[in-house]
Amino acid sequence: MLDSKGVIYKGRTEGMNKYKEPFAVDTDKRTLAEAVRGADVFYGLSIANVLTPEMVRTMADRPFICAMANPDPEIKYELAKEARPDVIVATGRSDCPNQVNNVLGFPFIFRGALDVRASAINEEMKFAASQSLYNLTREDVPDYVLRAYGVDSLKFGPDYIIPKPLDMRVMLWEIHRSSQGSHGYRGGP
């Protein structure tokens, strides 16, 4: 794990606090470039353009990059794919494949909770909602979704790991699953 001061490592004093201390690891890595070398996953919640194509090239085979800085991610989708054609990239941008957006989750989790008169959102409900998204990506995508995004097809794979926000089935599947999750239920669509 890194922050604006670099790798959060055991023995570091600069910029440390009680919240970061549990994440400190015993490593000689100090920079982002060193930390991503050989890594399977990069999950960014930081600032634009901190991950370079050179860094992406040093990652493990078929890496996953979740670049969530918005509106400009830690690395642009196109640059990551250029650097490593085998990379799977998700961002918060609607103009890129694999848009991660809170509109895919909480509106419908809340609706499911209201439908069953739950007094709280629990981990089971969130997990059930995530499972509905996982399952939905494996279904055939309706024509109205394809038209909305100007594509001929969408099939589960590197450029379609999460449903599109304009897919109305997200609401139905997630409300059903999250409301069932309030009772520990793992079934549903």
Side-chain angles (χ1 to χ4, degrees):
M1 182 175 283
L2 291 91
D3 65 9
S4 61
K5 309 281 187 220
V7 173
I8 299 174
Y9 62 90
K10 288 189 182 198
R12 188 178 110 176
T13 56
E14 184 183 6
M16 291 297 287
N17 59 43
K18 67 181 181 178
Y19 304 106
K20 294 178 191 176
E21 201 58 49
F23 298 101
V25 294
D26 189 15
T27 182
D28 60 351
K29 294 175 170 68
R30 298 296 183 259
T31 67
L32 178 58
E34 293 170 344
V36 299
R37 183 176 308 279
D40 293 308
V41 175
F42 170 89
Y43 192 88
L45 295 166
S46 57
I47 59 172
N49 306 315
V50 296
L51 186 65
T52 67
E54 293 77 22
M55 291 178 200
V56 173
R57 283 192 278 276
T58 70
M59 295 178 75
D61 290 343
R62 295 178 32 205
F64 175 63
I65 294 174
C66 197
M68 299 308 301
N70 236 339
D72 299 314
E74 286 78 3
I75 187 168
K76 289 182 172 72
Y77 172 85
E78 299 81 13
L79 288 177
K81 290 298 268 187
E82 230 174 75
R84 288 290 296 274
D86 65 335
V87 71
I88 297 172
V89 182
T91 71
R93 295 187 58 99
S94 61
D95 59 341
C96 295
N98 301 322
Q99 180 191 13
V100 177
N101 190 308
N102 59 4
V103 75
L104 288 171
F106 278 99
F108 310 128
I109 294 171
F110 285 133
R111 176 58 196 262
L114 289 171
D115 287 354
V116 296
R117 300 180 192 278
S119 59
I121 304 295
N122 61 32
E123 291 303 313
E124 291 82 11
M125 295 166 80
K126 292 185 274 187
F127 181 77
S130 73
Q131 289 301 111
S132 71
L133 295 174
Y134 169 86
N135 291 329
L136 189 54
T137 58
R138 282 138 180 90
E139 296 290 316
D140 290 336
V141 178
D143 289 340
Y144 74 87
V145 176
L146 300 176
R147 283 191 306 274
Y149 289 92
V151 296
D152 294 327
S153 71
L154 287 171
K155 300 271 186 234
F156 179 74
D159 287 333
Y160 185 64
I161 62 169
I162 189 167
K164 297 291 191 182
L166 295 180
D167 189 334
M168 291 183 285
R169 300 172 305 160
V170 170
M171 174 183 66
L172 301 173
W173 283 48
E174 218 171 293
I175 287 173
H176 177 75
R177 287 292 298 263
S178 63
S179 66
Q180 297 299 318
S182 69
H183 304 294
Y185 178 75
R186 296 274 191 255

